Amino acid sequence: MPELVQISSPVEEGPFEPRIVAFFCNWCTYLAADLAGTSRLKYAPNIRVIRVMCSGRVDPQFILDALAKGADGVLIGGCHPGDCHYQEGNYKAYRRVVVLKRMLHDWGIEEDRFRLEWISAAEGDKVRTVVNDMVEKVRALGPLKLGVPQEEFAEEMA
Amino acid sequence: MSDKPKVAFYWCASCGGCEEAVVDLAEKILDVVGLIDIVLWPVAMDFKRKDIEAMADGSITASFINGAIRTTEQAEMAHLLRRKSQFVLAFGACAQLGGIPGLANFWNREEIFQTVYQETPTTNNPANTRPEQVSHDNGHTLTLPGFYNTVFTLAEVIDVDYYVPGCPPTPKMPADTVTTLLSGKLPPKGTVLAPDQALCEECPRKDSKPDKLLLKEYKRPHQVLIEEDKCLLAQGIICLGPATRAGCEARCIGGNMACTGCFGPTSRVLDYGAKAMSAIASIADSNDEREIEKILAKIPDPMGTFYRYSLPASLIPRKKTEVKANA
Amino acid sequence: MSTTKPTQKSYLYFPGCSLRATGKAYEESMLELFQRLEVPLEELDDWNCCGATSYMAIDEDSAFMLSARNLSLAHQAGGGRDLLAPCAACYLVLRKTQDYAQKYPSIGREVADSLKTAHLPAMNSVKVRHPLEMLYNDVGVEKLRGKVARHWHGGHIACYYGCQTVRPYSEVDKAYNPTRMDELLRAVGIPTVDYSLKTKCCGGSLTGTIHDVGIRLNYVLLKEAVRKGAQAIVTICPLCQFNLDTYQSEISKQTKEHFDIPVFYLTQLLGWAVGGDVDKLGLQRGVSGRKAIKDWMMSHEGVESYV
Amino acid sequence: MSNSNGTVRIGVYICHCGSNIGAVVNCPAVAEYAAGLPHVAVSRDYKYMCSDPGQELIIQDIREHKLDRVVVASCSPLLHEHTFREALAHAGLNSFFLQMVNIREHDSWVHSDHAAATAKAQDLVRAAVRRVVLHKPLERRQVDIDASVLVVGGGIAGIHAALTLANAGKKVYLVEREPSIGGHMAKFDKTFPTMDCAACILTPKMTQVRSHKNITLWTLSEVSQVSGYVGNYEVKVKRWPRYILEDACIGCQECIEACVFKQGKTEDEFNEKLSKRKPIYIPFPQAVPQMVLIDPDNCIQFKSGRCKKTCVEACGERKAIRFDQQEAIETIKVGAIILATGFKTFDAKRIPDYGYGVYPNVYTSLEVERLVNASGPTAGEIVLRDGSTPKAVGIIHCVGSRDERTNRHCSRVCCMYSLKLAHLIKEHTGAEVFNFYIDMRTPGKGFEEFYQQLLNEGVHMVRGRVAEVADWALDPSEEGKLVLRVEDTLAGFARRIPVDMVVLSVGLEPQEDADEVRRLFNISCSPGGFFLERHPKLAPVSTFTDGIFLAGCCQGPKDIPDTVAQAGAAAAEALALIDAGHVEMEPNTAHVIEEECSGCKTCLPMCPYSAITFKEEEHHAWINEVLCKGCGTCVAACPSGSIVQNLFEDEEIYEEIKGVLNYA
């Protein structure tokens, strides 16, 4: 039986704080996030970055898993078209994302909860704007709460 | 009654195809019956629930349960059989993954009733009568099974020992399964009783697949005259063989039909649909964003295509209730 | 080339307040010119204030709304016609409204909502045009050259473009060194001088508020024009024309330098060159350089000397 | 070694990084929290984990507490992952049992809410702890290194780097796209602040390059393709025809004399178009190679084919002139690459207010460099286009620098070269010279002294950004002059200063094609477009692509001394790399689990390096780990989950996801 989502992070206390899981590619977006740091740009603390070598490494399963396990949104950051450190990884990522977006829609998951952004190593400021913008949009949408079937099961099977 | 091992067959939310798989044993069934006693098989034999309830716990060697869990009755029977059996096998795609009935998870109970009891053109139901679990009619009381909001896999309801995949499983599979169980050489609990490789492994058209296959266009079967011995993907047809567990002897391919994934994923894959989609979408032949979108738009109904048999077993088993518009 | 087109493209016309008041000559001459050039023009029905300068400065939101309504009406008027805004201020505000509505979602949403509540269609499909750019691109230098009906006996002209038509949007002409007025005038045989202050400030409404500064700015413009050998100035903005034209006597008094040169609208000069009726070009409305205007444009020889 | 079988013992270390992290993230709280996580045997917070004692702490714990996994929460892994991996290795633990958590760049530096930042640190640490349990021991692969180096760009940076390497006995290929090496420096007359003659110090180095036995110099050439990886780059170089046989030409230049054009008709690029040259010419007297070239766009023979070819006659027996010379492609193998592609000066036309291209007497600083140069178009005479000598000159600083509308960066050299030009102009013409500056920046050796000297020479310094250069006059004194309108921010009022000549001190910008070059070599750019160094302080000449180094202004504006110093550093880095003889590759490659692979071939087209091949006999895919660069795209595509990427295994990432989501 699937495990139940349990939320106990301090970020969770008080009013709703969106939780965004991000997959940043090692060469562009992760560097951009580092640049945002060295430039001391301030942005919303709601994002948790998982480093991958290339946006092409991001398996759609990762995205669903994050959403299923309590993320309110997922952000993928990769190099701009033509800039991929591995030449084409970001295009592969884009191919999957195009279809995944249609699927998320069918699942009734609002499109603002999933985003693919091209952010180059020079665009520290874009990290800030994208994260802030996404956090605000997701905040407006409220919690995703995909625990439904399990909770319902628990109650209906009782 | 003899002391032959006792076996029960039961069906939940299913089409009956899995029963056919057993019946398809044909004359072989006699050999099977020679080895075992069938204590429950609603589709073919007249045993009742109370017969099972009367049996001692664990006295049934194996229960083959097919179909997904849609109603309270199915859940009750599942629990009952679990109690009475040493082994419970999820038999067929519906029990293992939710199967076709699982696609109902795109709607909730209310929406389904709305359609079935009101909106279909042939429905005439001015009183808006709905099935009720308990209803009274001059002194008589009628009870019906409860209808869950969500379709569940068998494993979500009870503890399952083994899985027999397929929609339906091939006729040799029940027989093989029984033999395995009786042989005493048991695979680890939770095993899917089929090879842990993708279908391409046993696909007769395997060699016809080019090394670097990329698609400019995804085609649907009615758009092409499908060649008999050429890899279907190479012909532009979405074939899920690469993502689907082997063991079906590539029967659909044999019938010149693309694999639609009824055997589910290999043990290494967490979410069948997502993985299958990743593989199929990844071979879109373009590095231009607009063109990529155009090519992939040709994939009809991604959910229906990639989750045809496995929505309830996926990471996100049902449609999110109440959707907010985008801010 | 527009001349090769079977039917001449038609335009919607947004007069705005100026062209019905201080800038009347602008409207008169433009209508006369376009008639000569067979450019069909239809006034935008039920147009309202464009929301320009002062309004924009005091209450930006309302300014956008006002402007949006005009754009929406233009869209409604149909025919996919472009909206012609001769007044530089109108042109800029209309253009800016479209631009900001796209650049800033918040503004875009507000504008869209307000239009919705007014049961008006969206606006962004409409293209906002200015006569200078329209004459240059749609009519074209060659067609004008071909239409010339009068010889110019008058003096050299300084082309003054002002600020609003070329900045920040450089669609009417280049932002810092615009030349299209010069090209058009030279095409119809009217000589222009190289005028380096062509886009510097005319003082705008300062002539009304901080008068001395406004006067000073106009003085610089006039002095340099004369220094470069110009005997008249031509404008494409009612406010520029008004400032440069009306205050010449006052400036002369203050600076002890004598200024009395005509300040035309582009459409007046072009209208005259293509043989427009001199009584319909609003020439009589000019304040300064009356004699020059008379000698150059209204005297018998001038008018009758057909090519 | 233990695995995820419960016997794992993890050490967690939270770094304060002085106050960089500690001031925002409550490090002790995070450490205490981590201590409570499964498998964690030791959990500490410490001021500086990267310091020796910090590393020693880890090593001690590994030995005493029998740790077999380590999590360090500090700065970006791109900074210190290597440091801590080494620490593990010292303690005899496989260095890949480490997981780093970025709580500085990604946390304390970007968040101000302490509680939230601390919570984030806890989430990230928890994720790392869950992940590291699954880490497997890995070994770095060793690859041999080709001992030769490619230097791209033959300016002073490229020249110095090439000579340094060549003198160390390394084979060097120096590729320059112009007909001669020398770059911008060759155009200068004097160099600040010492005022020694640029040619005198540069020319000897240029000739050394030409004669050095270890240097292959290719001018009129451009890198067209780069493949391979650190230590083993394969580079294709496109060589345009010079229409001159290099071995035959002795640089006598008689052909130029003989050309049917009696005098030049083509604008001379080297002289900033201030003079004309013939279609057969030598870029400048000291050019290296000392050799003519033909410009086919203007040569009659190329245009009509009916030229008397007097040049060929003049060349006579040597037969050096070859109209039929073709473009050629050379392919070379090198171990390291140094990019010294330089800069371009700001296009002054982009600021119309200054009237460049409108008023003939508005010049760019580079044009004036040529004017004052003895070998320049006016043989060192500073005269206006009409031949007259200016009586008043205005030099505008920061043109295309420190400007929101153009470039935000300071070009670093303008203040000083403007002073230099002021000095030279005064010296040559005795004109009144006005310098218009925003701030005076003289932060180099002898710079401030030079500034003082200029003030004593009576150069006018006006502090203020010039609003416009115009030709409109308000009073007779301004007639026929260029008037600079400026707010004198020291005097506190607006001024109009009439001059005869205006010099625009244009800033330094990335080369026109910096972006293509960057993609060609697979490196990144900083904001503003200059090439991005691996670390601004600790790796200023390295890039994120191993084996590719930066020298000179392609990395950012700098003066000649800094450029030469950096070129030396780049050469040293390259030496250190290739002298090691071999390089260690990151083991984050992917491999196919053969018995699980069904041979569906989905992965094959995923790999841009053709590292994946299909083994016909075994019927499954196979990854060549030497070619695999570890992007993991094939892993995400493999429909049966039969490909694994080291350090980025599916399970490891799932654990990280659970971890950050605080999933029980």
Side-chain angles (χ1 to χ4, degrees):
Chain A
M1 227 181 97
E3 307 156 272
L4 286 172
V5 181
Q6 293 160 12
I7 293 156
S8 61
S9 161
V11 187
E12 275 306 310
E13 286 149 15
F16 167 60
E17 278 298 334
R19 298 174 330 146
I20 312 289
V21 172
F23 299 91
F24 283 177
C25 84
N26 182 67
W27 303 101
C28 288
T29 314
Y30 195 91
L31 278 181
D34 279 1
L35 176 62
T38 43
S39 324
R40 306 299 198 277
L41 304 174
K42 300 281 180 261
Y43 57 83
N46 308 54
I47 177 174
R48 304 288 182 267
V49 176
I50 293 175
R51 183 169 67 107
V52 289
M53 293 310 287
C54 177
S55 53
R57 173 66 183 94
V58 179
D59 187 324
Q61 294 185 106
F62 299 165
I63 299 154
L64 299 191
D65 192 49
L67 293 172
K69 288 189 172 39
D72 300 300
V74 172
L75 169 65
I76 302 180
C79 308
H80 284 269
D83 287 7
C84 179
H85 186 81
Y86 302 103
Q87 295 175 26
E88 302 185 339
N90 52 354
Y91 296 120
K92 314 278 177 17
Y94 189 71
R95 297 175 197 172
R96 297 160 190 151
V97 162
V98 165
V99 183
L100 187 64
K101 282 190 167 170
R102 286 166 70 191
M103 297 166 85
L104 290 175
H105 172 82
D106 290 355
W107 258 307
I109 295 169
E110 302 85 346
E111 62 180 284
D112 283 342
R113 293 189 187 271
F114 174 55
R115 211 153 143 171
L116 169 64
E117 289 284 348
W118 307 134
I119 305 178
S120 83
E123 298 175 308
D125 192 57
K126 189 170 179 187
V127 170
R128 170 175 64 176
T129 44
V130 165
V131 170
N132 285 342
D133 180 64
M134 185 163 180
V135 168
E136 277 331 297
K137 287 188 166 129
V138 172
R139 190 190 305 281
L141 289 170
L144 179 57
K145 286 210 251 69
L146 281 180
V148 183
Q150 290 82 354
E151 291 159 9
E152 168 193 319
F153 177 86
E155 125 215 346
E156 289 198 327
M157 286 291 153
Chain B
M1 221 182 209
S2 73
D3 51 8
K4 280 188 273 177
K6 299 182 174 50
V7 172
F9 296 100
Y10 191 74
W11 58 354
C12 298
S14 70
C15 65
C18 292
E19 310 288 348
E20 283 305 320
V22 183
V23 175
D24 280 351
L25 286 167
E27 63 283 350
K28 281 243 238 69
I29 188 135
L30 299 173
D31 317 353
V32 176
V33 174
L35 299 168
I36 60 167
D37 275 337
I38 298 177
V39 294
L40 178 72
W41 194 7
V43 77
M45 300 170 139
D46 186 13
F47 296 106
K48 293 282 185 287
R49 176 174 178 167
K50 60 180 186 327
D51 303 325
I52 303 299
E53 281 166 340
M55 299 174 75
D57 287 2
S59 57
I60 302 177
T61 311
S63 290
F64 291 71
I65 304 181
N66 72 68
I69 303 300
R70 166 93 273 181
T71 68
T72 52
E73 180 206 30
Q74 291 157 354
E76 288 159 21
M77 281 307 289
H79 282 291
L80 175 63
L81 288 167
R82 172 73 274 181
R83 208 163 58 249
K84 303 290 176 187
S85 318
Q86 296 161 38
F87 301 110
V88 169
L89 294 95
F91 189 76
C94 298
Q96 183 198 356
L97 308 165
I100 300 281
L103 288 170
N105 284 355
F106 282 124
W107 297 271
N108 58 30
R109 174 174 34 216
E110 178 49 34
E111 290 163 330
I112 292 170
F113 281 7
Q114 189 67 25
T115 309
V116 174
Y117 297 106
Q118 253 138 317
E119 288 163 359
T120 56
T122 53
T123 304
N124 174 19
N125 182 6
N128 186 15
T129 313
R130 292 282 185 91
E132 306 197 1
Q133 268 183 273
V134 183
S135 53
H136 305 279
D137 185 24
N138 51 35
H140 303 284
T141 303
L142 175 67
T143 60
L144 289 174
F147 187 98
Y148 292 128
N149 200 40
T150 302
V151 175
F152 301 99
T153 68
L154 186 59
E156 284 179 289
V157 182
I158 59 166
D159 186 30
V160 172
D161 298 293
Y162 299 113
Y163 300 85
V164 183
C167 179
T170 64
K172 66 188 284 290
M173 293 173 79
D176 294 357
T177 312
V178 173
T179 344
T180 324
L181 290 178
L182 301 184
S183 71
K185 285 191 237 63
L186 296 173
K189 186 163 186 253
T191 304
V192 176
L193 301 177
D196 200 2
Q197 267 173 305
L199 179 58
C200 297
E201 176 66 22
E202 60 184 30
C203 178
R205 305 187 185 187
K206 181 176 186 179
D207 297 338
S208 66
K209 184 169 185 180
D211 270 5
K212 291 197 174 178
L213 175 65
L214 293 169
L215 296 181
K216 276 263 176 246
E217 186 183 5
Y218 294 89
K219 301 202 190 72
R220 304 179 66 175
H222 65 272
Q223 296 173 302
V224 262
L225 250 179
I226 303 173
E227 294 173 46
E228 287 288 344
D229 41 21
K230 185 168 170 212
C231 168
L232 286 137
L233 264 173
Q235 301 184 57
I237 305 289
I238 297 174
C239 174
L240 299 182
T244 309
R245 193 182 276 265
C248 63
E249 304 148 54
R251 290 179 168 224
C252 297
I253 312 297
N256 211 21
M257 289 277 299
C259 169
T260 54
C262 69
F263 267 53
T266 63
S267 64
R268 279 110 33 206
V269 173
L270 203 62
D271 185 293
Y272 176 84
K275 219 17 168 158
M277 181 277 278
S278 182
I280 297 298
S282 294
I283 61 172
D285 186 9
S286 170
N287 282 350
D288 170 80
E289 294 182 65
R290 297 285 91 53
E291 192 188 5
I292 288 172
E293 288 159 12
K294 262 184 65 237
I295 294 175
L296 290 168
K298 285 276 184 74
I299 296 181
D301 174 23
M303 289 308 259
T305 304
F306 299 113
Y307 283 107
R308 180 170 301 183
Y309 304 96
S310 60
L311 184 59
S314 74
L315 286 160
I316 305 178
R318 69 155 300 121
K319 181 171 183 167
K320 178 172 178 268
T321 39
E322 132 280 336
V323 179
K324 266 200 193 172
N326 278 306
Chain C
M1 275 293 300
S2 52
T3 46
T4 61
K5 282 188 204 148
T7 55
Q8 171 64 48
K9 175 174 179 193
S10 80
Y11 300 82
L12 283 166
Y13 164 46
F14 180 84
C17 58
S18 301
L19 273 76
R20 290 296 156 80
T22 50
K24 196 136 186 51
Y26 196 179
E27 176 172 67
E28 292 166 340
S29 55
M30 183 183 72
L31 296 177
E32 176 67 5
L33 170 66
F34 283 4
Q35 202 197 349
R36 291 276 164 176
L37 297 176
E38 292 141 357
V39 177
L41 211 58
E42 180 194 323
E43 180 170 335
L44 178 64
D45 182 41
D46 190 30
W47 59 270
N48 57 264
C49 167
C50 70
T53 349
S54 39
Y55 217 132
M56 186 57 87
I58 295 155
D59 179 356
E60 209 178 46
D61 293 355
S62 323
F64 282 132
M65 307 300 171
L66 286 165
S67 170
R69 181 176 181 276
N70 291 316
L71 289 161
S72 174
L73 289 174
H75 175 63
Q76 212 168 21
R81 283 172 295 177
D82 299 346
L83 181 63
L84 208 54
C87 168
C90 301
Y91 167 80
L92 183 59
V93 166
L94 291 165
R95 187 68 192 71
K96 178 180 177 182
T97 305
Q98 281 183 325
D99 183 36
Y100 277 40
Q102 276 188 353
K103 256 203 218 105
Y104 309 103
S106 55
I107 297 178
R109 246 177 273 118
E110 269 184 49
V111 168
D113 295 349
S114 61
L115 286 177
K116 237 188 247 100
T117 47
H119 307 296
L120 285 167
M123 57 174 195
N124 273 7
S125 56
V126 179
K127 196 157 177 7
V128 180
R129 311 280 303 271
H130 185 278
L132 170 57
E133 171 265 332
M134 171 270 180
L135 283 162
Y136 188 87
N137 290 322
D138 296 10
V139 176
V141 176
E142 289 318 310
K143 180 169 180 184
L144 273 165
R145 203 191 303 279
K147 287 261 180 188
V148 171
R150 289 197 182 107
H151 258 312
W152 179 256
H153 299 296
H156 283 59
I157 311 280
C159 296
Y160 177 69
Y161 296 77
C163 56
Q164 293 182 306
T165 44
V166 289
R167 289 191 301 271
Y169 309 106
S170 304
E171 288 157 5
V172 174
D173 204 337
K174 296 187 280 322
Y176 288 89
N177 186 22
T179 52
R180 288 176 173 178
M181 262 205 270
D182 299 76
E183 289 178 61
L184 291 174
L185 288 175
R186 288 174 190 176
V188 299
I190 301 177
T192 65
V193 300
D194 181 6
Y195 184 46
S196 40
L197 298 186
K198 56 175 87 166
T199 62
K200 289 291 183 298
C201 183
C202 75
S205 28
L206 282 177
T207 45
T209 51
I210 313 174
H211 192 62
D212 302 354
V213 176
I215 292 296
R216 167 81 184 167
L217 288 163
N218 282 282
Y219 163 65
V220 170
L221 294 181
L222 289 162
K223 184 183 174 68
E224 178 64 9
V226 173
R227 178 173 162 271
K228 282 283 165 69
Q231 289 159 274
I233 297 177
V234 62
T235 66
I236 46 172
C237 166
L239 190 53
C240 301
Q241 194 277 342
F242 178 84
N243 282 334
L244 287 163
D245 189 22
T246 344
Y247 295 105
Q248 288 188 26
S249 52
E250 182 177 346
I251 292 170
S252 305
K253 274 196 214 72
Q254 281 192 15
T255 59
K256 312 273 178 297
E257 294 174 46
H258 181 67
F259 294 105
D260 186 22
I261 61 172
V263 180
F264 295 111
Y265 288 104
L266 175 67
T267 44
Q268 289 179 299
L269 292 176
L270 293 179
W272 183 89
V274 300
D277 181 341
V278 283
D279 305 328
K280 294 193 181 157
L281 292 170
L283 293 168
Q284 73 285 4
R285 301 184 190 276
V287 175
S288 306
R290 305 263 351 124
K291 185 172 183 312
I293 297 174
K294 204 163 180 345
D295 299 349
W296 298 347
M297 307 170 81
M298 297 163 121
S299 69
H300 184 69
E301 319 79 68
V303 179
E304 295 313 326
S305 66
Y306 287 94
V307 177
Chain D
M1 216 3 124
S2 58
N3 207 322
S4 56
N5 55 16
T7 70
V8 177
R9 296 174 58 80
I10 306 174
V12 179
Y13 302 87
I14 316 297
C15 179
H16 291 247
C17 192
S19 62
N20 283 302
I21 297 171
V24 178
V25 173
N26 182 342
C27 297
V30 177
E32 189 188 338
Y33 171 82
L37 293 170
H39 301 300
V40 174
V42 185
S43 177
R44 309 181 189 279
D45 60 300
Y46 188 74
K47 208 115 198 80
Y48 288 107
M49 282 314 298
C50 60
S51 66
D52 285 354
Q55 298 181 50
E56 200 45 42
L57 190 62
I58 299 177
I59 296 168
Q60 284 310 321
D61 284 352
I62 292 175
R63 297 201 173 116
E64 287 169 22
H65 298 273
K66 315 238 164 322
L67 302 180
D68 53 21
R69 297 289 192 285
V70 171
V71 170
V72 180
S74 58
C75 49
S76 168
L78 299 161
L79 220 57
H80 274 309
E81 191 167 51
H82 186 72
T83 316
F84 295 116
R85 280 180 175 173
E86 288 310 296
L88 267 66
H90 266 120
L93 190 59
N94 183 286
S95 37
F96 296 93
F97 282 133
L98 168 80
Q99 177 65 15
M100 271 192 82
V101 184
N102 185 342
I103 58 168
R104 194 178 73 175
E105 285 83 348
H106 288 198
D107 193 2
S108 66
W109 276 354
V110 288
H111 307 315
S112 25
D113 175 338
H114 294 202
T118 305
K120 182 174 183 176
Q122 289 177 349
D123 288 356
L124 294 172
V125 166
R126 182 177 50 243
V129 166
R130 293 191 70 122
R131 178 196 218 278
V132 80
V133 169
L134 301 181
H135 279 209
K136 310 216 175 13
L138 297 168
E139 292 311 325
R140 286 203 186 79
R141 211 161 11 94
Q142 285 200 347
V143 209
D144 293 342
I145 288 188
D146 189 306
S148 53
V149 180
L150 165 69
V151 176
V152 187
I156 181 59
I159 290 172
H160 187 76
L163 285 172
T164 313
L165 288 158
N167 293 338
K170 300 298 174 219
K171 175 97 195 81
V172 179
Y173 299 90
L174 178 56
V175 174
E176 168 59 53
R177 105 170 109 196
E178 297 299 324
S180 166
I181 55 172
H184 280 96
M185 187 177 173
K187 297 189 174 189
F188 304 155
D189 179 41
K190 301 273 187 295
T191 57
F192 62 78
T194 48
M195 283 297 158
D196 41 0
C197 134
C200 317
I201 53 178
L202 179 62
T203 318
K205 286 178 89 76
M206 289 164 66
T207 42
Q208 272 181 55
V209 167
R210 178 67 170 156
S211 52
H212 206 298
K213 65 180 197 317
N214 292 340
I215 299 180
T216 305
L217 170 62
W218 286 332
T219 52
L220 288 171
S221 307
E222 202 168 69
V223 174
S224 60
Q225 199 193 74
V226 181
S227 56
Y229 48 94
V230 54
N232 300 272
Y233 286 108
E234 184 176 297
V235 181
K236 288 199 187 328
V237 179
K238 182 188 290 167
R239 303 193 60 194
W240 298 299
R242 178 182 275 269
Y243 304 109
I244 301 296
L245 206 56
E246 299 214 0
D247 321 326
C249 176
I250 57 164
C252 68
Q253 304 184 31
E254 284 168 25
C255 48
I256 304 180
E257 274 308 309
C259 178
V260 291
F261 284 97
K262 282 297 141 254
Q263 52 297 93
K265 288 209 171 355
T266 314
E267 283 178 332
D268 184 334
E269 302 83 357
F270 188 81
N271 278 338
E272 297 295 306
K273 308 193 164 132
L274 291 170
S275 66
K276 301 262 196 275
R277 59 160 175 82
K278 296 181 178 182
I280 185 163
Y281 67 106
I282 187 156
F284 56 101
Q286 309 86 344
V288 169
Q290 186 62 216
M291 198 179 295
V292 300
L293 71 149
I294 297 173
D295 139 29
D297 303 341
N298 298 292
C299 170
I300 296 183
Q301 180 57 20
F302 280 93
K303 287 164 93 176
S304 68
R306 274 187 261 91
C307 180
K308 290 211 244 50
K309 300 196 216 130
T310 44
C311 51
V312 179
E313 288 166 27
C315 193
E317 276 319 291
R318 293 189 292 276
K319 296 195 170 42
I321 299 173
R322 300 297 173 90
F323 294 107
D324 60 355
Q325 224 174 45
Q326 295 300 322
E327 180 179 295
I329 300 279
E330 309 264 4
T331 305
I332 54 175
K333 284 194 153 299
V334 296
I337 298 172
I338 294 177
L339 293 180
T341 51
F343 63 96
K344 82 175 195 323
T345 51
F346 174 79
D347 171 12
K349 285 205 178 72
R350 282 173 59 196
I351 305 182
D353 318 56
Y354 291 165
Y356 182 74
V358 179
Y359 307 122
N361 292 332
V362 178
Y363 293 81
T364 68
S365 43
L366 204 49
E367 287 169 339
V368 177
E369 290 282 359
R370 293 311 299 154
L371 285 182
V372 295
N373 193 301
S375 64
T378 57
E381 281 302 298
I382 298 177
V383 288
L384 300 171
R385 304 210 192 245
D386 65 3
S388 66
T389 309
K391 291 175 198 51
V393 179
I395 302 176
I396 304 177
H397 295 214
C398 301
V399 177
S401 306
R402 307 183 65 198
D403 181 350
E404 291 281 338
R405 296 170 303 168
T406 56
N407 297 308
R408 290 156 169 270
H409 67 261
C410 164
S411 294
R412 274 187 70 185
V413 292
C414 317
C415 281
M416 286 306 291
Y417 80 58
S418 301
L419 291 177
K420 175 188 75 181
L421 291 177
H423 170 81
L424 292 171
I425 291 168
K426 226 174 162 40
E427 191 179 63
H428 284 54
T429 66
E432 288 295 322
V433 182
F434 299 82
N435 277 61
F436 301 89
Y437 67 100
I438 307 175
D439 299 292
M440 233 11 238
R441 297 188 168 180
T442 59
K445 192 175 182 185
F447 288 12
E448 185 63 19
E449 295 83 334
F450 186 67
Y451 177 34
Q452 291 305 328
Q453 176 195 331
L454 264 285
L455 293 174
N456 300 335
E457 288 175 11
V459 172
H460 307 283
M461 304 299 297
V462 179
R463 185 173 178 281
R465 167 168 252 149
V466 173
E468 75 165 348
V469 175
D471 66 345
W472 52 282
L474 281 180
D475 58 64
S477 72
E478 298 178 350
E479 286 299 339
K481 303 258 182 187
L482 290 168
V483 178
L484 295 108
R485 293 176 63 218
V486 59
E487 180 193 2
D488 186 325
T489 58
L490 296 180
F493 61 89
R495 296 174 66 176
R496 294 173 59 86
I497 300 178
V499 297
D500 307 303
M501 177 191 214
V502 171
V503 181
L504 305 179
S505 296
V506 287
L508 276 51
E509 281 186 336
Q511 286 277 19
E512 207 64 68
D513 59 352
D515 211 47
E516 290 90 89
V517 173
R518 150 181 97 74
R519 288 181 185 185
L520 188 61
F521 291 92
N522 199 7
I523 61 172
S524 305
C525 278
S526 327
F530 290 103
F531 297 154
L532 179 67
E533 63 282 346
R534 192 181 190 100
H535 189 277
K537 295 163 195 66
L538 303 176
V541 296
S542 310
T543 67
F544 282 99
T545 303
D546 293 336
I548 297 188
F549 304 98
L550 304 174
C553 291
C554 63
Q555 179 263 349
K558 50 182 70 64
D559 61 11
I560 294 166
D562 289 5
T563 298
V564 171
Q566 200 191 25
E573 291 280 359
L575 272 176
L577 173 69
I578 59 184
D579 267 355
H582 59 75
V583 59
E584 291 195 322
M585 307 294 281
E586 272 295 294
N588 59 8
T589 52
H591 54 276
V592 177
I593 312 297
E594 304 183 355
E595 58 278 16
E596 297 175 353
C597 172
S598 73
C600 74
K601 300 179 183 170
T602 305
C603 52
L604 271 69
M606 292 301 113
C607 184
Y609 309 103
S610 306
I612 313 179
T613 47
F614 188 70
K615 287 192 166 174
E616 291 299 340
E617 57 290 351
E618 292 95 332
H619 272 280
H620 60 66
W622 171 77
I623 297 176
N624 176 343
E625 296 199 24
V626 179
L627 296 179
C628 173
K629 292 202 201 281
C631 62
T633 307
C634 58
V635 187
C638 175
S640 62
S642 308
I643 307 182
V644 176
Q645 181 187 11
N646 294 333
L647 286 174
F648 293 91
E649 299 184 14
D650 285 0
E651 290 67 22
E652 292 171 345
I653 293 171
Y654 287 132
E655 283 308 313
E656 233 177 317
I657 295 173
K658 284 185 189 165
V660 293
L661 289 169
N662 199 346
Y663 194 82

